[in-house]
Amino acid sequence: MGQRLNRCLDVPVALPPLRRRLLLLFIMLFLWLYMFYSCAGSCAGLATRGSPAPPRAAAPLPQLEPGEESSREEQRAAPDAASPISSFFNGSGTKRLPQAIIIGVKKGGTRALLEFLRVHPDVRAVGAEPHFFDRNYERGLAWYRDLMPRTLEGQITMEKTPSYFVTKEAPARISSMSKGTKLIVVVRDPVTRAISDYTQTLSKKPDIPTFESLTFKNRTTGLIDTSWSAIQIGIYAKHLENWLLYFPIGQILFVSGERLISDPAGELGRVQDFLGLKRIITDKHFYFNKTKGFPCLKKAEGSSKPHCLGKTKGRTHPDIDQEVVQRLRDFYRPFNMKFYQMTGQDFGWD
């Protein structure tokens, strides 16, 4: 080594001064790099021979459908392919099947809940509704997972599709993916929910029949038309029975749509606890928008500006015959009472 260095440093004096300086600079740079890599290798070796870190237990893997093209070996290898820091700078991370899903209900406040949750640094969620377990199940879990955002170690992957709650096949399909999936249901007074559902449809189809005429099979007899989806969705107890065949009640969190408006931080606190997250989203994140009539974020995810849900949220409801409203309340009352018993929560709808 010494002889090689002597030969390298034996710079011909006949060279012009500028070239001689450049050559010396190159030699010094070469020696510095050589010493750096030698030291790095030695330090790494010493660290390896020192006190090794205890092996980590493999994380539980989501159950896969038979014939699913993604193997369990691939899932085990992927999360540890890169460190969280390098994953962050490379824009990588790992695409995982969701550990938590907002499964319902339509017009209950699911979009607001998802937008609020996305403020949390440990929550990554799909913006659009995937509709995998009700409309796209034949595409397979690999297709579904590819829709998910990349996450780092410790982050939770989520999605929301409100129609899952009323889809008969959804509980079995989600359980087949992973029995440990945490489920969130945002519920709201079923009468108000039905009117909100109708209002949304009316905004797209102004020529549809009146709410009153759609509510009854026969208004004279007062027989409610439970085949109309706006009515049928609000029979929460009936739908919940189907989910309890596959998931324990403790694995489902029921969020009050009314309290999500009156006390968003309180409801978000319950959600964060349920998901095993640190309570980061608090009162300081919200302000009440009097024009829209619901809370908005002071700062949305990735923005320094206030953020309210779009103009499609908070539509003015049409005036509904109060006799029809009362008949609906009478219709829903026994189902509400059963739902309170099943969930252990009184939502105060009566």
Side-chain angles (χ1 to χ4, degrees):
M1 176 68 184
Q3 294 177 352
R4 287 201 301 269
L5 289 177
N6 288 336
R7 285 197 296 270
C8 289
L9 293 172
D10 188 14
V11 180
V13 294
L15 289 174
L18 179 60
R19 292 184 62 185
R20 187 162 62 246
R21 288 195 202 98
L22 290 174
L23 182 59
L24 285 172
L25 184 62
F26 173 78
I27 293 171
M28 291 173 66
L29 180 61
F30 171 79
L31 289 173
W32 183 84
L33 290 173
Y34 178 82
M35 292 171 63
F36 175 79
Y37 283 109
S38 298
C39 178
S42 301
C43 294
L46 288 172
T48 306
R49 290 191 295 271
S51 52
R56 289 187 303 172
L61 296 172
Q63 301 167 35
L64 297 177
E65 287 291 308
E68 177 62 36
E69 63 185 31
S70 172
S71 68
R72 291 187 181 275
E73 287 71 25
E74 291 173 339
Q75 292 182 52
R76 287 193 183 95
D80 295 323
S83 69
I85 294 178
S86 63
S87 295
F88 176 81
F89 285 110
N90 293 334
S92 56
T94 304
K95 290 195 174 188
R96 297 178 175 89
L97 293 169
Q99 299 103 315
I101 304 176
I102 300 173
I103 59 173
V105 300
K106 181 184 179 185
K107 307 309 296 179
T110 59
R111 171 54 60 185
L113 177 60
L114 186 69
E115 291 300 309
F116 295 163
L117 273 175
R118 291 174 76 174
V119 173
H120 200 293
D122 290 333
V123 171
R124 297 297 312 281
V126 182
E129 296 173 5
H131 283 281
F132 175 65
F133 295 104
D134 57 351
R135 302 178 190 171
N136 296 301
Y137 194 63
E138 73 284 351
R139 293 176 179 264
L141 282 175
W143 176 87
Y144 181 49
R145 183 173 54 205
D146 195 53
L147 298 178
M148 300 299 125
R150 294 184 181 277
T151 55
L152 304 178
E153 191 69 30
Q155 291 183 319
I156 292 178
T157 303
M158 292 188 66
E159 71 116 317
K160 77 106 178 170
T161 304
S163 54
Y164 289 163
F165 189 63
V166 298
T167 300
K168 187 176 181 180
E169 299 81 8
R173 290 172 174 177
I174 295 177
S175 177
S176 180
M177 176 188 74
S178 173
K179 294 183 183 298
T181 305
K182 292 184 177 182
L183 308 172
I184 300 175
V185 187
V186 188
V187 288
R188 182 184 183 187
D189 181 333
V191 178
T192 309
R193 197 222 66 81
I195 296 172
S196 181
D197 198 336
Y198 173 80
T199 304
Q200 182 183 53
T201 305
L202 184 65
S203 69
K204 300 174 182 177
K205 301 177 181 179
D207 58 342
I208 61 172
T210 64
F211 180 88
E212 291 84 351
S213 62
L214 291 170
T215 297
F216 299 100
K217 285 185 177 179
N218 187 319
R219 187 165 182 176
T220 303
T221 61
L223 185 62
I224 303 294
D225 187 358
T226 56
S227 66
W228 183 29
S229 64
I231 301 295
Q232 196 256 352
I233 290 172
I235 310 175
Y236 302 138
K238 175 184 174 183
H239 304 302
L240 181 56
E241 286 177 342
N242 189 31
W243 287 90
L244 294 181
L245 296 175
Y246 298 90
F247 294 93
I249 192 71
Q251 208 166 309
I252 309 174
L253 180 70
F254 300 91
V255 174
S256 166
E258 287 82 12
R259 287 197 294 270
L260 197 58
I261 294 174
S262 63
D263 182 20
E267 285 300 278
L268 265 292
R270 294 178 59 240
V271 176
Q272 290 171 94
D273 291 346
F274 175 71
L275 295 174
L277 298 169
K278 182 179 179 181
R279 283 200 179 197
I280 290 178
I281 307 171
T282 61
D283 281 320
K284 68 181 181 182
H285 288 90
F286 301 99
Y287 74 95
F288 192 81
N289 186 303
K290 294 181 180 179
T291 303
K292 284 185 169 291
F294 52 74
C296 301
L297 289 168
K298 290 182 180 178
K299 292 182 181 180
E301 179 196 28
S303 173
S304 60
K305 298 180 180 179
H307 171 69
C308 280
L309 298 180
K311 62 182 180 179
T312 61
K313 306 298 180 182
R315 295 186 184 93
T316 302
H317 291 179
D319 291 328
I320 306 297
D321 187 330
Q322 287 305 302
E323 180 190 353
V324 174
V325 171
Q326 189 56 51
R327 286 196 182 187
L328 272 178
R329 294 207 175 282
D330 295 339
F331 166 77
Y332 278 122
R333 186 170 293 109
F335 296 109
N336 291 344
M337 294 299 106
K338 186 176 181 180
F339 185 66
Y340 296 171
Q341 292 174 353
M342 295 171 76
T343 61
Q345 293 179 237
D346 185 338
F347 293 90
W349 296 325
D350 298 287

